[in-house]
Amino acid sequence: MDLFSTNFGTIDWVIVCVYMCIPLSIGLYLRKYITSSGDFIVAGRNLRLFLAVATLTGTEMGLVTIMYSSEAGFIHGFSAFHIGVIEGVAVLAIGLTGFIIYKLRESRVMTIPEYYEKRYNQKVRVVGGIVLALGGILNMGLFLQAGARFMMGVTGVSNPAMLKIFMSIMLIMVLIYTVAGGMVSLAINDFVQFVILSLGLLIGSIFVFKEIGWTTLFTIPVNAPNAFTFNPVSKESGFGTLYVLFMVMVSVSAGALWQTATMRALAAKSPKVAKNLYACASLSFLMRKVIPMLWGIGAFIFITTKFPQLYEQFQAGGYSSQYGMPIFISKIIPSGLLGIIAAGMFAAFMSTHDSYLLSWSSVITQDIISPLRGGLADKSRLRINRVTIVVIGIFLLIWGLWFEAPISLWNYMAVTGSIYLSGAFTVIVAGLYWKKASSTGAMIALVCGLFAISGLGPWTTKGVIYLSDKFIGVSTFVICALGMVIGSLMFPDKKAAEEVK
């Protein structure tokens, strides 16, 4: 078997191209039904439970999720499972208790920063919107890069210049139907993509288990590094107790307040549906991490045993570890079925990218531009939303082309997410459950969240100055909480919190 061979053939290209026409057609067709910003952002608040679960799963089980999860499995093995387990339990707990989500849906806000103004003041809303947009846009900064690497690995394209072409084509596809149809287009497309992605994951898993074997897959390979342990808090795992604590913080805060997921709750038909949405989706949050991690472990076993010279290139840094899984499945899945897998993964890419674009554009429009301009007419909001989506897309293309994170893809996601989550979680929880929470405390907490940006610095790799990304992440959450408490006690609002409606 050739080192760079792939089973991806003409029929697979046809399958992928045909699928690509589906979301474009849906988005362009639904454009005529989008007449207000409410339709565009929250689909008229009419998402029922089944569609909400499907569209939430379609969004959160994106290609970037599959790529960073498989990379974690490829590098760390079984100890990476704790990331998915913690996230699944966190989302289930939120769904069963209604923590944060129920009250947010009752408030009838369309974005999280909108709640900031309702509970605190407009300045908090604007600052919160800026921090959310910054963290969110940086968080999706490597989506295009990861998606293009998957397509290159599966199709067997080795020319580095093709990375730019794949990234550009994928971005243009998403921009067209997102700008056209907004949340209505997203909900319908995400349902279609949820079905195709689920089919792709099923087919892929069958072939992974068939190729590697169930027993072999769950046996630590003799040639595996020390990281292939089941215990995430052990020193050998590469994670440790502090990292697990960081994952708990990220999972709970993201489960309740990550804008792309929360938008589904805010678009749900009622607060009860919003609550049930999370309980029903918790299993998918677990599986979206664990299944790709198994694929990554399978890729490690396959490549180290059959292509040791390729694994040497991974170790030497000649190939990003993100290529491990796509190269693996391109060699074990036959042509035709491989096209279905690729279409499913492309569906996963689009279902995440479209929701993120809509989320951050709506925040910029609703929570930054509109308050600063003293309000906007509905048609102006709709137009600015669409323009902002395109601008964000262009930035993401440029960022993805030149930025290489000094940390793994998943750690990049966790750190950039913390820019927003660390402050937002503190501000929302305090606002909902602590009467003394003040606008000054909220401002301090939101600004302190910017400290998480340092988790992308060169000092996260061992050197003269070393601060690990997990240490920076945990510290940011703690600093934000302290800032909220101290700021609220020292500078209380004149208007009592219980009087704020």
Side-chain angles (χ1 to χ4, degrees), residues 58-77:
T59 293
E60 297 306 316
M61 194 183 290
L63 178 53
V64 69
T65 307
I66 294 170
M67 288 293 284
Y68 69 61
S69 296
S70 64
E71 181 186 31
F74 188 81
I75 297 174
H76 298 285

Side-chain angles (χ1 to χ4, degrees), residues 67-83 217 219-221 224-240 243 247 292-301 311 321 407-412 469-470:
M67 288 293 284
Y68 69 61
S69 296
S70 64
E71 181 186 31
F74 188 81
I75 297 174
H76 298 285
F78 310 100
S79 59
F81 284 7
H82 79 278
I83 300 172
L217 192 64
T219 302
I220 298 178
N226 290 334
F228 266 64
T229 172
F230 288 93
N231 184 7
V233 299
S234 67
K235 184 178 179 181
E236 295 80 11
S237 70
F239 294 118
Y243 189 90
M247 290 303 99
M293 286 173 183
L294 287 174
W295 288 20
I297 295 171
F300 175 85
I301 296 171
Y311 183 62
S321 51
I407 51 182
S408 70
L409 181 58
W410 164 241
N411 286 0
Y412 172 88
D469 49 349
K470 57 190 176 185

Side-chain angles (χ1 to χ4, degrees), residues 388-453:
T388 307
I389 286 173
V390 176
V391 173
I392 294 173
I394 294 172
F395 167 80
L396 293 175
L397 181 61
I398 296 172
W399 180 266
L401 287 174
W402 73 267
F403 183 77
E404 282 289 343
I407 51 182
S408 70
L409 181 58
W410 164 241
N411 286 0
Y412 172 88
M413 301 284 291
V415 167
T416 51
S418 298
I419 296 171
Y420 151 71
L421 288 172
S422 54
F425 184 73
T426 300
V427 171
I428 294 291
V429 170
L432 291 173
Y433 303 104
W434 188 35
K435 294 180 179 180
K436 293 184 179 181
S438 74
S439 55
T440 301
M443 289 284 281
I444 294 173
L446 291 170
V447 173
C448 285
L450 297 175
F451 177 67
I453 296 177

